[in-house]
Amino acid sequence: MTNTSTEARSANTGKIYFIGSGPGNPDLITVKGANLLAQAEVIITDRLAGDEIIGRYANPDAIIIDVGKQGGNEKSYKQSDINKLLIQFAKLYEKVVRLKGGDIAFFSNVYDELQTLADHNIAYEIVPGITAASGASAFTGVPLTARGFASGVKLLTHFNNSIINKESWKQLAAFKETLVFYMSSNNLASIIEQLIKAGADTSIPFLVIEQATTPNQRVHAFTLQSFPAEPIQFNSPSIVIMGKVAGLHETFAWYKNNSVAGENYFRSVEAASAYLKINPFITRPVEGAQKITENVD
C-alpha cells in the first residue's frame, strides 16, 4: 500500500467513516459498508463487528486496530482512548473506518466519538447497519409489531433500577408494545421482578437470543413466570425480545438453533487476534502510528 506522505497534508484532512456492520452475520452488512471497508486505509474495529466481516471485506493492506469494547470487562479499552485514536489517524490517513457492531445509532456509544470529531473539525460520514433487534427478529421468525399482538416496539437497556422509573414500568408492564432489551440478559431477574410488581401478566412470553444471526445463534424461550430463580449466564451478545409476539417464534422459526451450548462466534477482549492493539498508539501517539505504517508498506 502506498501511503500519502503526512508532511504533504494539513492537519485533520482525513475522514472517518462510521460503519454499522450488522448483528454479526457477514451477509448482512450493507453494500456501502462493504465497499468502504475495501477502500479503507485504517480500520478501527469493535469485537462485535465480527472477524469474518473483516476477513471477507476489508482492504488486505489496511491497518486494523482492535479496540475491543466488551461491556463489564475491565480489559475493554476506555472510550477516551478510542477518541484519541480517531484524532491521531484522521491526521495520518484519508480513509479511516470506525467499524461497530449492529447499527451506529443504537446503543453504540457513538455520541462521544462524534463529539470528539466535531470538536476537532474532522470530517465524518455515518453508514447505517442492521441493528440487533432487527436481526434477532428476522432470524427467530418474530415480527416485532405483528398486528393484533403489539402496537409498537420499545428498544431499551437496563443495568440498574434507576434507568427506568416506576411510572414507566407500569407502561411497559401493560405490554401493548414489544419490549426489546439490549445488553440486559444478565439483569433479567430484576427486569422480570419490576414488570410483575408493575402488574404484568406473568404468562407473557419472551426470548433470549444469544449471538443472533450467526451460526452460533441459540434461542431460549421463557415466560415471566417460568424464568428460573437460579442465574443463567448467556453468551455475549444476547438480546431479549419480550411480549406477545415472542410466542410466534414456535410457529415461524426458520433458522436452525445451535445445539451446542457455550460456543462463541465473537471473540472476547482477552482472546488473541491478528489485529494491532490500541496501546502503542495511545502511549506514543503519532510516532506509534507512523512506525506501524512504515512496517505495512
Side-chain angles (χ1 to χ4, degrees):
M1 179 173 67
T2 301
N3 297 319
T4 304
S5 170
T6 56
E7 289 80 14
R9 314 179 181 203
S10 58
N12 302 343
T13 57
K15 186 173 184 179
I16 305 289
Y17 295 87
F18 290 93
I19 298 176
S21 65
N25 187 316
D27 292 334
L28 297 181
I29 191 170
T30 65
V31 172
K32 183 167 186 176
N35 287 340
L36 285 169
L37 283 172
Q39 300 166 26
E41 296 169 277
V42 179
I43 300 170
I44 301 169
T45 182
D46 287 350
R47 73 181 186 94
L48 291 184
D51 295 348
E52 192 172 345
I53 285 174
I54 292 174
R56 187 184 295 190
Y57 301 112
N59 174 4
D61 293 324
I63 300 166
I64 302 174
I65 303 162
D66 175 14
V67 297
K69 299 293 286 181
Q70 184 172 353
N73 191 310
E74 62 183 15
K75 292 188 178 181
S76 283
Y77 292 111
K78 296 178 182 177
Q79 185 61 56
S80 58
D81 287 343
I82 297 171
N83 296 345
K84 291 176 186 175
L85 200 66
L86 293 172
I87 297 167
Q88 290 164 20
F89 278 92
K91 293 178 179 180
L92 292 165
Y93 292 94
E94 291 181 357
K95 288 189 175 181
V96 179
V97 164
R98 176 70 176 99
L99 189 63
K100 289 173 171 279
D103 179 83
I104 296 298
F106 297 94
F107 302 106
S108 73
N109 201 25
V110 74
Y111 169 79
D112 289 336
E113 297 178 22
L114 290 175
Q115 189 62 60
T116 296
L117 300 188
D119 289 344
H120 290 81
N121 197 30
I122 296 170
Y124 59 86
E125 184 175 328
I126 299 173
V127 181
I130 294 174
T131 189
S134 295
S137 167
F139 275 63
T140 56
V142 175
L144 295 177
T145 58
R147 185 179 300 176
F149 290 82
S151 61
V153 60
K154 287 187 181 294
L155 306 181
L156 306 157
T157 188
H158 178 269
F159 50 86
N160 65 54
N161 286 335
S162 66
I163 297 295
I164 303 172
N165 63 37
K166 187 175 181 180
E167 190 58 37
S168 294
W169 279 118
K170 288 181 180 179
Q171 294 173 8
L172 298 176
F175 279 102
K176 293 180 180 179
E177 298 163 310
T178 303
L179 310 182
V180 179
F181 287 92
Y182 286 67
M183 303 176 292
S184 304
S185 60
N186 291 333
N187 297 309
L188 267 173
S190 175
I191 292 170
I192 292 166
E193 179 184 9
Q194 294 298 325
L195 288 167
I196 292 174
K197 276 184 181 179
D201 179 351
T202 57
S203 68
I204 289 290
F206 70 93
L207 306 174
V208 181
I209 305 103
E210 297 178 297
Q211 305 182 92
T213 78
T214 76
N216 292 349
Q217 174 176 297
R218 282 177 63 83
V219 181
H220 306 266
F222 306 96
T223 65
L224 296 183
Q225 189 172 37
S226 72
F227 190 71
E230 293 297 318
I232 301 175
Q233 188 67 43
F234 297 104
N235 273 341
S236 172
S238 290
I239 194 164
V240 180
I241 298 177
M242 189 176 285
K244 297 171 188 175
V245 299
L248 299 173
H249 167 68
E250 188 173 340
T251 303
F252 299 123
W254 60 271
Y255 189 70
K256 188 176 179 182
N257 202 34
N258 182 26
S259 61
V260 182
E263 285 192 356
N264 284 299
Y265 182 82
F266 301 95
R267 58 184 165 78
S268 70
V269 294
E270 294 97 342
S273 75
Y275 310 144
L276 301 167
K277 296 293 185 180
I278 192 174
N279 305 78
F281 307 103
I282 297 305
T283 56
R284 292 181 294 127
V286 177
E287 178 192 349
Q290 289 176 326
K291 183 176 180 181
I292 293 298
T293 62
E294 288 165 5
N295 291 340
V296 171
D297 287 343

